[in-house]
Structure formats: C-alpha cells, structure tokens
C-alpha cells in the first residue's frame, strides 16, 4: 500500500448562506482546494463527494456528476466522480475511499469534497431529513428524534459516571470559544455555561446549545500519492492511519449506550495503522453533534478514561492550551454542521493546524492530529490520523 | 410516512413479533433473518416469537421538540426499554407524568396511535409502554 | 341459548374533566349543570387514544382473562359512532392486534349508543348457530359534544369487549329482546364533526319509551319481575335518566348502582351498557341475574336477560384491570388541554 498525503485544502464559510446554492458552495470549496494544491484539472484522476441528502435538502441527486461538471472536469477529462453517503460520516468515508484509491495504486491524485445545503427547506423538514440517519422504522416511527437519542446517551452517562449538566455545557462553551477564532465558523460568539443551561429544552436533559446547528457549507481536500506530493506543495500532510467501523443503526441495539463501539473500533484500526497510541495525538477534531457525543468521543478515542470525559471538559483539558485541544475549528457546534461536509472540514482543520496556518487558534507544536466522524447515533465511525511530512 | 411501508411491519408494531435464533436461543426484536452471533449456523433457523411486552427502562428523554406529526403528545417521554426476554427497543412511555419516569422502571406494552398521515391520511398504530 | 359470555374486558382512558371546568369557559354554572345531569366528571381519551386503541385494549383484556387461542375467533364486530375512519374498519385492526386474523369475519356497527349491544346480538347469533366457535363484540366510543352544547358535559370515552362462545360460559344469555322505531332524537349527518339532537325530545319519546318498553317486554317474555334480578344495567346518557327509568320499572337503586358509571366517567355511548355490564360482572357471583337494556338514538333498545354461571368461580378476573380500578385511575385536565386532546382546535399545518 502506498502512502497518501493531503496536498491541498479548501473550505467555504459555514452558516446560513442564503445567496449561495448547493452547487455554488461545492464549487467554491473545490476551486479553493485545487488552487491551494498547485495541481491542474488534468492531473485529477477521480472525484469523491461526501453528501448525506441533497435529494431531500435541495431536490438534487446525482451530485457527483454535478460537482464534476461545474468544477470543469466532466467535459474534458471525464473524471470518475462518486458520491458517498454515510450520514454525518459521509465526508469522512469519502476521504477514506479516496485514500484507498490512491493507496491501492489505482489513482495518483484524487479530490474529495463534502457539501450540504440544509437551509433551503424549513427547520422542521431539515430536522426530519437529518433524522433519516437513525432507524426510521424502529426509532423515528415511535417518536424518537435525533436529539432525544443523544439525550438518552447523556442521561445514561450522567447516571453511570456522574457526568454533570454543567460539564456537558462546558463542551459547548469551549467549542464556541474556539469557533470565535475561526473566520469560517457559523457562530463566532463566546458563550458561558448559563447560555447553555438557559437555552430552550430540546430533549431533556439536552438543550438548544447542546446541539449542533443546521448549516450550509462545503469543504474539499486534494490527496496525492506521498511520493509525488512534494511536487505540488512544500507542506504535505501524510495520512498516517485511517480506520472505519460500523455498529447497529438503532441506538437501542447497542451493547452500551455510553460508548460508541464504532468509534472504539475505528480508532483501534487507525492507531494500529499509524503505529501510535492515543497519548501521541496532539489535537483532534471530534464529532460533537451534541455535547454528550463529544464527551463520549474523547473517552472512546482513548484521550481520557471512560467516565472521565465530563471532568476533562470541566477542567478545560480539551480547550486550546489544554492537555489535548479538541475541535479548534469550533466543532460541529460552533463551526457548523453541513452534514456531508463535516468529515472533510475536519481534515481541513487538521491540515491547517499541521501546516501552522491556524492563526489565533494554532495549537503550538502540533505534529499529529486526529479527525473523528460519526454517522447517525454511531452506526458508522471514521477515525483518521494525520501527520506533517516535514 | 407512506402506508405500505408501515403496513408490512404491522406484526412487530401491533404484537411485538420478533425472532429467536434456533441455534443459540437469543431473542431479537424486530425480526431478523440472520443471527448476528451465529451467522451461517442460524440460516433457516430464525423462528418467529411473540414477546411478553414487559420490561424495564434503560434510559429516557423528555421530548420537547418533536416532529410535527408527534406534537400533540408534547412533551412526551421517549425511552429505550429492555424487554424481559432480552431485546431492547425504543418507545414512548405514556399514562404517567414525565417526572415519574426513572431508569430501571418497570413498564408494559399498550396499544396506541403513533401518528397520522395528516387529516386525510391513514392512522398508524403500534406499541407504547406504560408503568406496569 | 347455549351461546354466552365466555370473557369480557374493559378500557377507560385516564383523563377526566369536571363540569365546573367546562361551565367556566361558557359562562355557565358548570357545577349546577353537572348536578342536573348527575355527572361529576367525564373521561377523555389521550391524544394517542381513539376507538381503535380502546377496542384493542378492551379485547386484549378479555383475551387475557379467557386464555383461548385467538385463532379460534370467527368474528369481530365493533359498535361505535366514533370510529376513527368513516371507511376502513376498526374491527380489522382489532383482529390483527389480538392475533385473530385472518380466518374470520369482521365488520363495524353503527347505531348511536347501542351499536355495541347490536354487535353482541350478532356475535351471539353466529355462535349459537354454530357458524363460528368464538366471536368478539365490542362497544366503544370517544364521543364528542360540540363546544358549548349541553352534550359537552357528558360525551366521554371508553369501551368493553365480550368474548362469546359455548364453552366455559361465565354468563348465560337467557333471552334477548329488541324494540326499534324511527325516532330522530339525535343524529350526526355525514361529514359533520358533531352530533345534533332534539333537546328534550330525546327524553320521553326516545330514551324512556324505548328503554322502558324493551325492559318490560323482556321481563314479560321471561316471566320475570324486577325483584328477580340482582342487577339492572340501563343505558346511561347522564346520571338521571337511568335512575328515573329504573324507578319507573320498579327496580331499587341498589340494583342499578353497580352498573351506573356515568356519574364518574360520563356517557361512553356505545361503551355505556357494555362497560356497565362489565362492572357488574366484576363483582357478580354464580346465580346472579342481570337485566341489561341499551338505547341507541334513531332509535332502538336491546334487552338481555343474563344469569351468571358456576364458571364464574374459576374465571380469572384479576388477569385484567377491573372497571372500578380504571374508574379510580383519574387525572383531571383543564379545558385548554381538553380542547387540544379532543382536537377541537386546529394546529399549524392542519
Ligand atoms: Zn444465534
């Protein structure tokens, strides 16, 4: 298997982008990444697009063809273009598929995009579409919402490990603090614990500020075989390890709802491939679709012992300047969560940090970064470990 | 939700019909065609079984922001329930105050309206749970 | 008749509203209205309950007590004036939900408040003739009075199911008699959400004429007198009418009280006599004799002369909730919640 590197990144502003269409943002991120990478269109061997539900959000399927067309690759090089869906992990799975296509020797240079346009339909409908990632027949039909399933995980975690309501809130506080430093973030406003605890109840015990928003946005990365990476960039970032795992689609069928086994297995595979341990990771982008999902992630990834994630948030061990800064981009909560784009946006942030281009939110001495994405309530997980090549 | 999609799951939703693996004896709800533990050895050995409808609460949430089709019941209790035979499922808990629900609480199945497809569409029925 | 009641089950929703609460909204003396009607509270279905869920729960309760194989049930008839669908039977849902389908017949009945007893007569006929081994008859309603209508004080929700067969009969049917005329005292036109009624015309020419005649002719036919019965169950649109009718017939208040539920739960329409009879069966002993007379507007009465058998000794009533337990399980709500629960206000998107 060949080594693979990220040689270019591009991202749009995340948020409610009323003037921009799905294709506008997809193209913008693509053009930025291609520009950043120094490649030309003719160098691209394949295109992978992470997208959860363009059909439901903007009435458009077949979006890989659409993006290939509008980035100018369809009519000339007729590049193979593939759309990948794995709910919130769509972008991350697309990233892994692109990695595999280069590692296998099939391709040399591949572009991975992630895009979602969620605000063209009303909030009610958008929430329903997002909830399509949970089991429609045995969860949704009975009245379960995406937030209520997270709330059940939160309650179980609180009852078993003594995680507090304030500790959960602290995750949101830290992510907003980070997001305030990210010009591309949806919410660039610092909040405090009271902001979270006084926000409206969504699904007890979780409130509005525990949950990630609905967002528009796109992100793109360009991957190349490591041996040719330096022809295009002087700051290549190597994909050191990558792991993916699945679990039951329904939360109720899980062995334990205070752990996401998909994360545990994906992480183990990524760590084994990278030949590192959790303590070797300098910073991470993890999947905080809710505050509890970030707490479970930092435990399941091995950064903290099971049950100690809440305390780690309380002690700001996951804040910039802390033991292991998590979600320096602002995470899903503050940067925003255009579902299909998230997995790629996480890679963009990791690469910015490893290149030393994260400006005010730069993690000092960042050498190894980890990205973690989840589909649904944990039916899919992808963990990627990246390292600066020099 | 469209009617055929609901209709074909009636046996599970009305009567808690699930499966039992003829190889290892494990119970499953809803029905499964293959046992995740026995794989090939369970092929053709998955038996239909009716669950008793009693169990206990594993975790729960009080939903304040439901899908519009469920908003008449708001706020309602959503829970993961472990049936006495072992399988777990997600259901509402009704006929009690949300503040009375607790982890470990004993519950039993009841037959309720789940949602309706607007004023003119079909009505979906199935299980909810209430205190035993 | 060999066909009789093999088991029974009831269901009453837990929510209640008091006449005072209704009167408050309409500027009426609700307490006085309630007193005039002999009603202390009426039952209200939860937003997720309707005639189908009530019928299923009642039928499941009946099956729990009987222990028969539901596949032996040959017919299910459900009587109601508030079937959730105008077209599409309640009874087929019940059939699936009690696992009696598919080798059986089913239909819904409508005859104002006596649709449940009409269903019972038909099931008795099928069992008696040998066409089926067991049958289920259900009377259930989630009746509605228009906001501001006097009916709003009484129209309530509940139902009961009867499993009929020839083996292990707990209550024998000694005889039946029906009295039927064209009397438009109360009706609901197709497509209208609420019923209309003839006000005081619903009394003498409708309720009393039919109930009294049916009761008298039943006793004439059986050669019995009021004192031969331990209990009498009469249709109960309010707390007053059945008391007055029982008195006119010569029954003592004690014979009526057990089967008179309207004061506590309101008028459950098609569920009324089936529920009243269930309350009596809940406490009756072998040898007890019961006269039950329903009334349905439009109009007709079905009378049943019933004797509790020795099988009642072995009958496992406790396997399902007693009527008295469900009457006592009450949660009072205000008028605002009531109009939401009964879908009297249209929410966004409707
Ligand atoms: Zn097995």
């Amino acid at each position: 298997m060949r080594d693979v590197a990220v040689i270019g990144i591009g991202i749009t502003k995340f948020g409610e982008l009323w003037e921009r269409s799905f294709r506008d943002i997809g193209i913008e991120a693509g053009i930025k990444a291609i520009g950043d990478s120094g490649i030309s269109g003719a160098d691209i061997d394949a295109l992978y697009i992470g997208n959860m539900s363009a059909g439901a959000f903007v009435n458009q399927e077949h979006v890989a063809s659409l993006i290939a067309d509008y980035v100018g690759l369809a009519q000339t090089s007729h590049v193979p273009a593939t759309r990948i869906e794995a709910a919130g992990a769509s972008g991350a799975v697309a990233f892994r598929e692109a990695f595999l296509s280069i590692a296998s020797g099939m391709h040399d240079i591949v572009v991975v995009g992630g895009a979602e346009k969620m605000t063209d339909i009303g909030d009610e409908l958008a929430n329903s579409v997002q909830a399509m990632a949970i089991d429609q027949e045995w969860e949704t039909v009975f009245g379960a919402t995406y937030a209520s399933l997270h709330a059940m995980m939160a309650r179980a975690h609180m009852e078993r490990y003594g995680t507090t309501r304030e500790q959960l809130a602290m995750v949101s506080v830290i992510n907003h603090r980070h997001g305030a430093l990210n010009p591309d973030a949806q919410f660039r406003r610092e909040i405090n614990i009271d902001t979270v605890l006084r926000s409206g109840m969504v699904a007890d015990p979780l409130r509005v500020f525990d949950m990630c928003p609905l967002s528009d946005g796109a992100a793109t990365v360009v991957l190349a075989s490591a041996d040719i990476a330096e022809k295009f960039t002087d700051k290549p970032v190597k994909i050191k390890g990558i792991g993916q795992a699945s679990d039951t689609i329904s939360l109720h069928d899980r062995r334990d709802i205070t752990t996401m086994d998909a994360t545990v297995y994906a992480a183990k595979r990524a760590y084994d491939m990278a030949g590192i341990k959790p303590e070797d990771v300098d910073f991470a982008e993890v999947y905080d679709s809710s505050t509890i999902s970030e707490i479970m992630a930092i435990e399941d990834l091995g950064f903290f012992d099971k049950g100690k994630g809440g305390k780690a948030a309380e002690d700001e061990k996951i804040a910039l300047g802390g033991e292991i800064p998590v979600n320096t981009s602002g995470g899903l909560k503050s940067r925003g969560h255009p579902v299909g784009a998230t997995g790629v946006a996480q890679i963009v942030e990791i690469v910015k940090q490893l290149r030393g281009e994260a400006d005010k939110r730069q993690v000092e001495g960042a050498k190894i970064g980890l990205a973690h994405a989840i589909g649904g309530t944990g039916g899919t997980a992808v963990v990627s470990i990246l390292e600066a090549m020099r | 939700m469209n009617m055929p999609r609901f209709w074909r799951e009636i046996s599970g939703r009305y009567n808690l019909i699930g499966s039992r693996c003829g190889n290892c004896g494990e119970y499953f709800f809803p029905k499964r065609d293959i046992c995740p533990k026995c794989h090939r050895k369970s092929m053709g050995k998955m038996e239909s079984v009716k669950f008793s409808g009693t169990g206990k609460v594993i975790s729960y949430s009080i939903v304040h922001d439901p899908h519009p089709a469920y908003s008449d019941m708001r706020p309602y209790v959503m829970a993961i329930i472990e049936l006495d035979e072992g399988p777990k499922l997600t259901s509402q808990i009704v006929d009690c105050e949300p503040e009375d629900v607790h982890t470990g609480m004993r519950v039993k199945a009841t037959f309720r309206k789940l949602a309706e497809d607007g004023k003119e569409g079909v009505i979906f029925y199935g299980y909810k749970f209430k205190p035993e | 008749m060999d066909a009789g009641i093999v088991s029974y089950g009831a269901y009453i929703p837990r929510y209640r509203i008091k006449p005072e609460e209704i009167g408050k909204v309409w500027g009426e003396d609700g307490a006085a209205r309630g007193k005039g009607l002999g009603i202390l509270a009426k039952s209200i279905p939860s937003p997720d309950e309707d005639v189908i869920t009530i019928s299923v729960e009642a039928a499941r309760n009946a099956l729990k007590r009987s222990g028969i194989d539901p596949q032996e049930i040959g017919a299910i008839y459900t009587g109601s004036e508030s079937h959730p669908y105008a077209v599409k039977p309640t009874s087929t849902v019940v059939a699936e939900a009690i696992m009696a389908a598919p080798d059986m017949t089913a239909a819904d009945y409508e005859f104002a408040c006596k649709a449940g007893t009409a269903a019972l007569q038909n099931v008795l006929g099928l069992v008696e003739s040998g066409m089926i081994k067991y049958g289920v008859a259900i009377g259930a309603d989630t009746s509605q009075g228009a906001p501001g209508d006097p009916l709003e004080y009484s129209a309530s929700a509940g139902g009961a199911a009867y499993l009929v067969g020839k083996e292990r009969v707990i209550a024998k049917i000694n005889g039946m008699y029906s009295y039927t005329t064209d009397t438009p005292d109360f009706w609901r036109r197709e497509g209208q959400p609420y019923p209309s009624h003839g006000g005081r015309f619903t009394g003498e020419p409708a309720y009393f004429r039919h109930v009294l005649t049916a009761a008298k002719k039943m006793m004439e036919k059986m050669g019995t007198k009021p004192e031969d019965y331990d209990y009498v169950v009469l249709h109960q649109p309010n707390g007053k009418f059945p008391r007055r009718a029982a008195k006119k017939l010569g029954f003592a208040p004690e014979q009526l009280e057990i089967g008179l539920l309207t004061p506590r739960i309101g008028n459950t329409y098609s569920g009324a006599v089936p529920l009243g009879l269930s309350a009596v069966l809940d406490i009756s002993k072998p040898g007890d004799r019961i006269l039950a007379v329903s009334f349905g507007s439009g109009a007709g009465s079905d009378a049943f002369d019933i004797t509790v058998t020795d099988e009642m000794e072995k009958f496992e009533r406790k396997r399902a909730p007693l009527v008295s337990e469900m009457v006592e399980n009450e949660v009072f709500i205000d008028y605002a919640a009531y109009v939401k629960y009964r879908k009297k206000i249209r929410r966004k998107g409707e």
Side-chain angles (χ1 to χ4, degrees):
Chain A
M1 218 166 55
R2 299 197 291 177
D3 281 346
V4 180
V6 180
I7 60 166
I9 54 173
I11 192 163
T12 66
K13 165 98 180 127
F14 280 15
E16 294 178 330
L17 309 178
W18 301 116
E19 292 87 3
R20 329 277 331 268
S21 68
F22 176 82
R23 81 178 75 182
D24 288 342
I25 54 176
I27 304 327
E28 180 192 330
I31 290 171
K32 280 181 174 169
I34 290 167
D36 179 63
S37 69
I39 60 166
S40 74
D43 297 325
I44 299 168
D45 294 323
L47 180 61
Y48 287 86
I49 302 292
N51 172 261
M52 176 182 169
S53 213
F57 286 124
V58 295
N59 238 22
Q60 178 71 61
E61 303 292 13
H62 205 191
V63 296
S65 161
L66 177 86
I67 303 278
D69 183 3
Y70 277 78
V71 291
L73 297 173
Q75 291 166 300
T76 48
S77 51
H78 299 281
V79 66
T82 309
R83 176 248 189 106
I84 306 269
E85 189 279 316
S90 298
V93 175
F95 178 71
R96 182 171 174 276
E97 291 300 319
F99 166 87
L100 291 173
S101 76
I102 296 173
S104 68
M106 183 82 173
H107 299 313
D108 293 320
I109 296 177
V110 175
V111 173
V112 191
E116 209 77 61
K117 174 79 189 169
M118 302 171 77
T119 61
D120 278 357
I121 54 176
D123 287 4
E124 273 173 2
L125 197 48
N127 282 322
S128 303
V129 175
Q130 218 177 353
M132 288 176 188
I134 65 178
D135 191 332
Q136 294 297 290
E137 303 295 346
W138 302 101
E139 292 180 323
T140 314
V141 161
F142 294 91
T145 59
Y146 187 72
S148 67
L149 299 178
H150 281 254
M152 289 189 226
M153 295 188 245
R155 188 180 303 281
H157 204 278
M158 291 163 89
E159 289 183 355
R160 190 175 311 169
Y161 300 112
T163 303
T164 66
R165 209 17 290 209
E166 288 74 15
Q167 289 170 347
L168 290 170
M170 203 55 207
V171 171
S172 187
V173 170
I174 293 170
N175 286 339
H176 272 261
R177 189 191 300 163
H178 294 170
L181 304 174
N182 180 358
D184 296 323
Q186 181 165 3
F187 300 114
R188 302 196 58 203
R189 179 168 76 89
E190 291 205 33
I191 59 165
N192 56 38
I193 286 180
D194 274 355
T195 319
V196 182
L197 300 187
R198 285 179 191 161
S199 62
M201 193 66 92
V202 177
D204 189 74
L206 298 182
R207 295 172 179 272
V208 170
F209 272 77
D210 286 297
M211 303 304 301
C212 66
L214 298 168
S215 319
D216 305 328
T220 303
V221 298
V222 181
L223 305 188
S225 172
D227 51 8
I228 59 167
E230 294 191 18
K231 275 183 13 197
F232 302 99
T233 176
D234 51 8
K235 288 178 180 171
V237 169
K238 187 182 151 186
I239 301 164
K240 200 173 166 66
I242 192 160
Q244 182 179 335
S246 58
D247 202 345
T248 64
I249 180 143
S250 291
L251 179 66
H252 56 242
D253 280 328
R254 306 274 164 77
R255 181 184 61 80
D256 176 358
I257 62 167
T258 63
T259 287
M260 286 193 197
D261 278 347
T263 297
V264 172
Y265 279 81
K268 186 183 183 324
R269 287 164 192 165
Y271 288 136
D272 286 352
M273 182 174 162
I276 66 162
K277 293 193 166 59
E279 50 268 35
D280 299 322
V281 175
D282 297 315
F283 68 101
E285 286 286 304
V286 312
Y287 199 81
D288 60 315
S289 52
S290 67
T291 49
I292 185 62
S293 68
E294 177 161 331
I295 285 179
M296 286 165 60
I298 60 178
E299 296 167 350
D300 295 337
L301 291 166
F303 300 155
F304 301 96
D305 288 344
K306 196 72 211 163
K308 298 285 195 287
K311 186 78 170 67
E314 181 186 339
D315 295 344
E316 304 204 14
K317 288 182 179 169
I318 53 174
L320 267 170
E323 205 170 283
I324 174 163
V326 171
N327 287 335
T328 55
S329 66
L332 281 60
K333 176 70 193 77
S334 171
R335 181 196 59 225
H337 181 41
V339 183
T342 288
V344 182
Q346 292 177 323
I347 302 295
V348 168
E349 178 69 10
I350 300 284
V351 171
K352 278 187 184 171
Q353 290 284 358
L354 293 174
R355 285 180 181 179
E357 293 170 359
D359 200 17
K360 287 179 182 153
R361 61 183 196 281
Q362 181 64 46
V363 176
E364 290 309 316
K367 289 197 180 63
I368 294 179
L370 179 148
H372 160 255
I374 286 291
T377 56
T380 299
V382 181
V383 172
S384 308
I385 297 168
L386 284 77
E387 182 179 35
M389 282 173 70
R390 53 155 123 143
Chain B
M1 155 173 233
N2 42 48
M3 182 269 294
R5 223 185 84 202
F6 192 92
W7 168 78
R8 64 177 73 93
E9 304 296 347
I10 274 179
S11 71
R13 300 216 176 107
Y14 285 11
N15 291 313
L16 286 167
I17 306 293
S19 306
R20 182 179 170 278
C21 172
N23 191 54
C24 71
E26 177 106 0
Y27 289 96
F28 300 96
F29 184 83
K31 282 185 288 191
R32 282 185 188 256
D33 294 327
I34 193 154
C35 172
K37 293 185 175 160
C38 304
H39 304 290
R40 183 171 200 89
K41 285 186 205 147
S42 67
M43 281 182 187
K45 290 186 180 171
M46 300 301 282
E47 304 152 2
S48 191
V49 57
K50 179 170 168 41
F51 290 99
S52 62
T54 52
K56 65 173 186 200
V57 173
I58 296 296
S59 190
Y60 66 98
S61 169
I62 301 151
V63 180
H64 292 260
D65 191 15
H67 182 279
Y70 295 79
S71 53
D72 275 350
M73 295 293 290
R74 162 165 85 187
Y76 57 82
V77 180
M78 212 61 237
I80 291 177
I81 291 152
E82 184 177 84
L83 299 173
D84 289 338
E85 294 87 348
K88 287 174 279 190
L89 52 76
T90 298
S91 174
Q92 287 180 38
I93 299 180
V94 294
D95 275 7
C96 63
E97 302 312 311
E99 53 271 25
D100 295 337
V101 178
H102 56 89
T103 302
M105 177 172 148
R106 294 285 307 167
V107 290
K108 64 178 175 187
T110 181
F111 190 82
R112 293 295 173 102
K113 215 163 99 173
L114 299 175
E116 49 188 71
D117 192 6
K119 283 272 171 219
E120 294 181 358
V122 290
I123 308 168
F124 305 119
Y125 296 93
Y127 55 77
K128 290 188 183 180
F129 283 70
K130 61 181 182 181
E132 196 172 22
Chain C
M1 186 189 267
D2 294 332
I5 296 166
V6 172
S7 184
Y8 66 99
Y11 187 82
I12 302 167
R14 73 201 280 255
Y15 295 105
R16 305 280 188 276
I17 191 166
K18 290 181 175 165
E20 291 89 322
E21 180 65 24
I22 296 171
K24 203 165 72 186
V25 173
W26 301 113
E28 294 177 332
D29 184 345
R33 284 273 182 173
K35 199 150 183 279
L37 291 166
I39 287 175
L40 299 167
K42 69 163 190 167
S43 59
I44 298 161
S46 164
D48 62 353
E49 292 181 305
D50 60 18
V51 160
I52 287 180
T53 68
I54 290 169
S55 300
V56 168
E57 288 293 311
R60 283 180 175 175
N61 284 339
L63 281 173
K64 275 182 210 158
R65 287 171 170 154
S66 78
I68 70 147
D69 176 359
Q71 285 289 313
E72 291 192 311
I73 292 168
I76 297 177
Y77 295 134
T78 308
S80 179
E81 61 164 63
S82 45
H83 291 290
Y85 289 96
V87 178
K88 200 261 169 241
T90 295
S91 301
T92 55
V93 183
V94 176
E96 288 285 358
I98 63 172
M99 298 178 76
D103 297 318
M104 53 164 291
T105 182
D108 287 357
Y109 281 56
E110 188 280 311
F111 192 150
C113 297
K114 83 162 190 93
T117 55
L120 180 58
Q121 287 179 327
N122 283 276
V123 167
L124 283 164
L126 288 178
V127 171
E128 182 66 15
S129 72
M131 285 175 71
I132 60 173
K133 184 172 181 190
Y134 291 109
V136 173
I138 302 167
D141 256 304
T142 56
S143 54
Q144 293 243 43
D149 188 296
L151 273 181
E152 200 180 12
Y153 289 99
S154 57
S156 71
Y162 287 84
L163 177 67
V164 172
K166 289 183 179 172
E167 293 167 17
R168 294 169 62 200
V169 167
I170 58 164
K172 186 176 173 326
I173 310 295
N174 307 313
M176 296 192 285
Y177 172 79
S178 290
Y179 182 75
T180 306
T181 71
D182 179 359
T183 308
D185 58 312
F186 172 105
W187 61 91
R188 180 164 64 84
R189 293 278 300 275
E190 181 69 46
Q192 294 300 310
Y194 299 113
S196 304
H197 52 86
R200 296 179 58 78
F201 183 70
T202 58
E204 289 307 329
Y207 178 85
F208 290 103
R209 178 174 159 221
H210 292 80
V211 170
L212 298 181
T213 308
K216 281 179 197 156
K217 294 237 180 155
M218 182 81 256
M219 288 190 281
E220 229 170 74
K221 193 174 156 188
M222 303 308 297
T224 50
K225 295 188 182 58
E227 52 270 33
D228 296 328
Y229 295 93
D230 297 278
Y231 303 101
V232 62
V233 179
L234 301 178
H235 180 56
Q236 38 201 276
N238 51 52
K240 288 278 163 84
F241 280 20
R243 287 197 174 104
R244 204 194 309 163
K247 193 174 175 189
K248 280 193 178 181
L249 287 166
F251 286 93
E254 308 83 71
Q255 287 167 289
L256 180 73
E257 272 334 287
I258 298 295
L260 182 57
L261 304 171
T262 298
R264 292 291 298 277
I265 63 169
N267 179 9
T268 54
Y269 285 53
S270 304
V273 163
L275 271 171
L277 180 58
S278 293
V280 167
L281 292 174
D282 276 351
I283 58 146
S284 59
K285 312 175 300 295
D288 282 349
R289 194 159 183 175
I290 305 157
L291 177 65
V293 184
S294 66
F295 169 71
S297 291
S301 277
D302 300 327
F304 299 82
D305 184 307
I306 301 165
T307 301
V308 176
T309 71
D310 293 344
E311 276 294 323
M312 190 59 111
E313 295 281 12
K314 285 176 271 175
F315 185 68
E316 302 195 64
R317 279 182 190 126
K318 277 287 170 194
R319 283 195 187 176
L322 300 177
V323 171
S324 58
E325 291 166 350
M326 288 184 281
V327 168
E328 292 302 329
N329 179 18
E330 50 187 17
V331 173
F332 289 92
I333 62 174
D334 62 16
Y335 196 83
Y338 164 70
V339 297
K340 185 185 106 166
Y341 282 22
R342 298 307 285 128
K343 305 197 191 312
K344 290 173 193 283
I345 39 174
R346 287 171 60 183
R347 69 156 65 240
K348 177 180 166 287
E350 282 183 355

